Amino acid sequence: MKYNTKILSTDNVLLKNIGVIDPLKIDEYVAKGGYEALKKALKMDRKEIIDTVSDSGLRGRGGANFPTGRKWMFTYNAKADQKYLIINADEGEPGTIKDRILMEGDPQQLIEGMVITAYAIGASKGFIYVRGEYRDSIKTLRKAIAQAEEKGYLGNNILKSGFSFDISVAEGGGAYICGEETALIDSIEGKRGEPRLKPPYPPVEGLFKKPTIVNNVETIANVPHIITKGSEWFRKIGAACSPGTKLFMLSGDVNEPGIVETPLNISFTEVIEKFGKGAKDGEIKFAQIGGSSGNIFTPEMLNKVWTYERCCEFKVSYGTGSIFVCNDSRNIVEHLLTVAEFFEHESCGKCTPCREGTHRVREILEKFAFGEGTVSDLELLKELCLVMKKSPICGLGQACINPVLDAIEHYKSEILAN
Ligand SMILES: Cc1cc2nc3c(=O)[nH]c(=O)nc-3n(C[C@H](O)[C@H](O)[C@H](O)COP(=O)(O)O)c2cc1C
Ligand code: SF4
């Protein structure tokens, strides 16, 4: 492992082996109880596995929070001669590094989760779509896959169960949009990665038009633990309505940047204070949660506990779990402009509101950055953002204006005074 991200929490589930075992020695994973879940799962009925995951309340950790068991049922029920499982390890969201740590620090946890998932949904072929820049993740995964095959946990007739499944590592196309699941599927098919119009959704018609489950790395890393310890155990972790742990990444103006695994029962302020040793060089002015398209949280909002349900109520999201802390020396317009330039570059250009809108958002913010913005510019910016929230065909265009709208709500006078 060559990354230098610190693990800041100690009472961990998904991160417990990281830095403890050698990721390239499968025997060390097995000695820690690894592959016991797979042995148990292969004796279970496939539907029973899906029911266990549904009962656990596990939701996708890639940003959209969709219930994992419910998604699996679509593919389980689909009639097809071939089904696929794809792991989304594109991890293009700035400030997000959790999937890399899971892949490079404990790759067998992910592989075990994949084999159980594939068995449950009836897939015989799997892909891990890894962000192209993650060279170490790609190398580590390829070696780990070979070791799992050698030990009989992967490949033909896994543990003599009659079930066969193999995994290939696909290297990412180098664009943020390739993390969107249908763009990712197109990219694996060898096409330019652009979102598809939905429906049909991938669980019914995905890779090569076959039923396909796309899940995030962190989502699937939870699966072996849920199978071994049961859905009740998972439900008891954290808030009743948002069970399990979540990985959060602290960056920006924080004394101790790093990764934290915590149940969803503490506020973001507590995460920053307890694990990140507080804000650096000043007071917290705001934090952007969940990456560049994430919401801007004021200090007052950061003091609250944000379960998934509470996020829905207040129409915000913790997305991938990145927490970018900004102290009181930060200029909100400069922050928004950096974000807008990122999305102007990353918009794939397939639909007009996003292709044109991201340019216009950047242009108007640039006026404010040069001290030339007016009240009517701000009104136009808000109107444009509200149109973009509704009209683009994928989540990039719909969400990239979230921080701008939040800033207009909470920091309007500062934007106008810039
Ligand atoms: C522009 C865009 C980028 C995305 N990037 C990622 C990503 O890097 N990793 C990820 O897991 N999900 C990403 N997603 C969400 C995926 O489309 C999909 O919802 C997710 O992989 C499903 O997995 P989950 O149910 O386990 O969360 C992205 C979505 C959009 C709209
Ligand atoms: S919203 Fe943006 S990124 Fe998504 S399809 Fe349209 S142009 Fe492409």
Side-chain angles (χ1 to χ4, degrees):
M1 280 191 300
K2 293 198 184 121
Y3 60 82
N4 55 8
T5 306
K6 254 193 178 175
I7 296 178
L8 306 172
S9 50
T10 47
D11 195 10
N12 299 326
V13 177
L14 304 182
L15 300 177
K16 75 175 168 32
N17 283 341
I18 314 265
V20 175
I21 63 168
D22 182 335
L24 292 179
K25 291 190 177 147
I26 191 170
D27 292 343
E28 293 192 15
Y29 178 72
V30 172
K32 292 274 179 197
Y35 285 107
E36 288 304 315
L38 176 61
K39 288 180 196 160
K40 185 175 170 184
L42 290 173
K43 289 187 193 125
M44 288 166 75
D45 179 64
R46 291 168 51 215
K47 175 75 170 33
E48 196 188 340
I49 298 172
I50 301 182
D51 288 344
T52 305
V53 171
S54 295
D55 293 346
S56 75
L58 175 68
R59 286 180 177 274
R61 303 304 201 217
N65 278 300
F66 195 82
T68 305
R70 201 193 312 164
K71 180 150 91 178
W72 291 3
M73 275 308 289
F74 291 115
T75 299
Y76 172 86
N77 283 328
K79 302 259 174 289
D81 55 352
Q82 173 76 60
K83 297 178 185 179
Y84 295 106
L85 170 65
I86 299 176
I87 298 302
N88 190 340
D90 197 52
E91 196 156 71
E93 198 62 79
T96 307
I97 193 187
K98 65 189 179 74
D99 297 339
R100 177 175 179 189
I101 288 174
L102 290 172
M103 290 186 290
E104 292 181 23
D106 195 2
Q108 298 297 344
Q109 176 178 240
L110 172 64
I111 293 169
E112 183 176 11
M114 284 183 74
V115 184
I116 296 168
T117 306
Y119 173 66
I121 62 169
S124 57
K125 176 77 199 166
F127 293 89
I128 311 176
Y129 186 89
V130 189
R131 182 191 170 116
E133 293 90 334
Y134 280 2
R135 304 312 305 165
D136 288 336
S137 301
I138 291 166
K139 272 192 234 157
T140 305
L141 285 169
R142 286 194 170 132
K143 285 183 188 159
I145 287 167
Q147 287 181 12
E149 281 171 352
E150 202 181 304
K151 295 280 178 185
Y153 299 122
L154 196 59
N156 282 331
N157 195 15
I158 293 170
L159 297 177
K160 301 196 171 63
S161 64
F163 171 63
S164 300
F165 176 64
D166 71 84
I167 302 176
S168 301
V169 175
E171 298 188 21
Y176 175 86
I177 195 58
C178 288
E180 194 281 338
E181 58 185 3
T182 57
L184 184 158
I185 287 170
D186 270 11
S187 173
I188 295 182
E189 288 182 2
K191 301 176 192 146
R192 179 187 161 118
E194 280 182 356
R196 295 178 181 176
L197 288 171
K198 292 179 260 185
Y201 291 93
V204 177
E205 192 180 308
L207 186 64
F208 303 118
K209 295 196 182 300
K210 302 290 181 186
T212 303
I213 287 296
V214 181
N215 270 134
N216 174 257
V217 173
E218 183 186 349
T219 313
I220 295 303
N222 275 288
V223 171
H225 303 283
I226 293 171
I227 296 302
T228 305
K229 296 177 194 149
S231 54
E232 278 303 306
W233 161 82
F234 193 78
R235 278 215 167 265
K236 281 189 191 136
I237 303 174
C241 53
S242 297
T245 62
K246 175 79 195 85
L247 301 181
F248 289 100
M249 291 127 294
L250 282 168
S251 63
D253 301 321
V254 63
N255 284 312
E256 186 94 272
I259 184 163
V260 176
E261 180 171 8
T262 173
L264 283 165
N265 57 5
I266 69 171
S267 69
F268 290 132
T269 306
E270 278 176 275
V271 174
I272 296 165
E273 295 295 334
K274 183 174 162 191
F275 300 105
K277 300 197 175 131
K280 194 169 77 175
D281 301 333
E283 299 291 311
I284 300 177
K285 179 170 176 176
F286 62 88
Q288 191 172 9
I289 312 284
S292 287
S293 59
N295 290 102
I296 301 272
F297 280 59
T298 61
E300 200 188 23
M301 291 166 76
L302 293 169
N303 282 337
K304 302 213 162 58
V305 174
W306 290 94
T307 58
Y308 167 70
E309 283 68 16
R310 195 185 159 81
C311 285
C312 291
E313 192 185 333
F314 288 87
K315 296 192 169 48
V316 293
S317 164
Y318 48 77
T320 59
S322 62
I323 303 178
F324 183 70
V325 181
C326 293
N327 69 20
D328 45 19
S329 72
R330 298 269 182 170
N331 179 300
I332 188 78
V333 175
E334 278 174 22
H335 179 82
L336 295 178
L337 185 57
T338 306
V339 170
E341 283 168 352
F342 173 76
F343 285 117
E344 183 185 31
H345 182 255
E346 294 297 339
S347 167
C348 80
K350 181 166 178 164
C351 60
T352 313
C354 172
R355 185 183 62 241
E356 302 303 323
T358 48
H359 286 304
R360 294 292 291 128
V361 168
R362 194 263 307 148
E363 273 171 15
I364 300 172
L365 284 168
E366 219 163 52
K367 272 183 98 175
F368 282 102
F370 286 113
E372 293 162 2
T374 62
V375 173
S376 63
D377 285 325
L378 199 63
E379 278 164 8
L380 178 64
L381 181 63
K382 187 171 175 184
E383 199 185 329
L384 178 61
C385 289
L386 290 173
V387 171
M388 287 176 71
K389 207 173 168 67
K390 290 200 181 130
S391 43
I393 64 170
C394 94
L396 188 152
Q398 293 156 6
C400 70
I401 40 64
N402 283 336
V404 183
L405 284 171
D406 292 342
I408 294 174
E409 186 180 342
H410 301 296
Y411 300 95
K412 186 174 176 178
S413 51
E414 189 185 326
I415 299 172
L416 286 171
N418 204 65

